[in-house]
Amino acid sequence: MIEYPSEPDTPRSHLPFSPSTKLGDLIFVSGQASVDATGKIVSDTFEGEMRRSMENMRKVVETAGSDFAHVLQTRNYVQDPADIPLFNKIYREYFSEPFPARTTITNCLGTALRYEVECIAVAKPKA
């Protein structure tokens, strides 16, 4: 059975998609951008947008019963290739070795966003 984990403070979009879906122990997190709790885009520097996006993703992953240590793969969308060195620096603050599998695409977002991230995670084992 497919689940759609959500809490009142889970970041939401006005677009037609769920923040995450869960099937068994697999968690699929939709793209998380620099948005507030209502889905309104919050423009910022690349670093500010990336950190807000990562924290939004953290909330969605935790709501689904996991954490960043159980992320299997990330897909990252970076508007400006010049931001890749900063992206790698900040990414290391959220993930450590062994790193999740990763794809990073540049020159792919419209003018409203500098960064977006999505992931696949596995639920934390029950204690």
Side-chain angles (χ1 to χ4, degrees):
M1 170 186 274
I2 299 173
E3 299 174 55
Y4 302 89
S6 185
E7 296 287 334
D9 66 341
T10 301
R12 298 209 170 280
S13 174
H14 63 281
L15 299 174
F17 64 85
S18 297
S20 70
T21 57
K22 184 175 181 182
L23 181 62
D25 286 341
L26 287 177
I27 301 162
F28 302 86
V29 177
S30 295
Q32 299 298 307
S34 180
V35 298
D36 64 17
T38 68
K40 181 180 178 201
I41 293 173
V42 179
S43 297
D44 203 340
T45 62
F46 175 81
E47 180 173 357
E49 288 194 20
M50 182 174 176
R51 290 187 186 282
R52 187 170 293 104
S53 300
M54 295 296 282
E55 291 304 322
N56 285 344
M57 187 169 76
R58 182 190 311 274
K59 288 178 193 172
V60 173
V61 167
E62 289 175 353
T63 296
S66 193
D67 58 26
F68 278 6
H70 291 86
V71 169
L72 304 172
Q73 180 185 37
T74 66
R75 290 186 193 97
N76 302 269
Y77 307 92
V78 177
Q79 180 56 34
D80 187 347
D83 289 323
I84 292 294
L86 180 56
F87 159 73
N88 283 317
K89 178 183 176 289
I90 296 168
Y91 190 88
R92 284 184 177 94
E93 295 176 25
Y94 288 92
F95 298 103
S96 56
E97 291 187 42
F99 296 105
R102 182 180 103 177
T103 299
T104 305
I105 303 168
T106 61
N107 295 317
C108 55
L109 299 169
T111 57
L113 296 174
R114 298 173 191 266
Y115 178 77
E116 186 172 344
V117 60
E118 63 183 271
C119 76
I120 299 172
V122 64
K124 292 191 301 189
K126 305 272 191 251

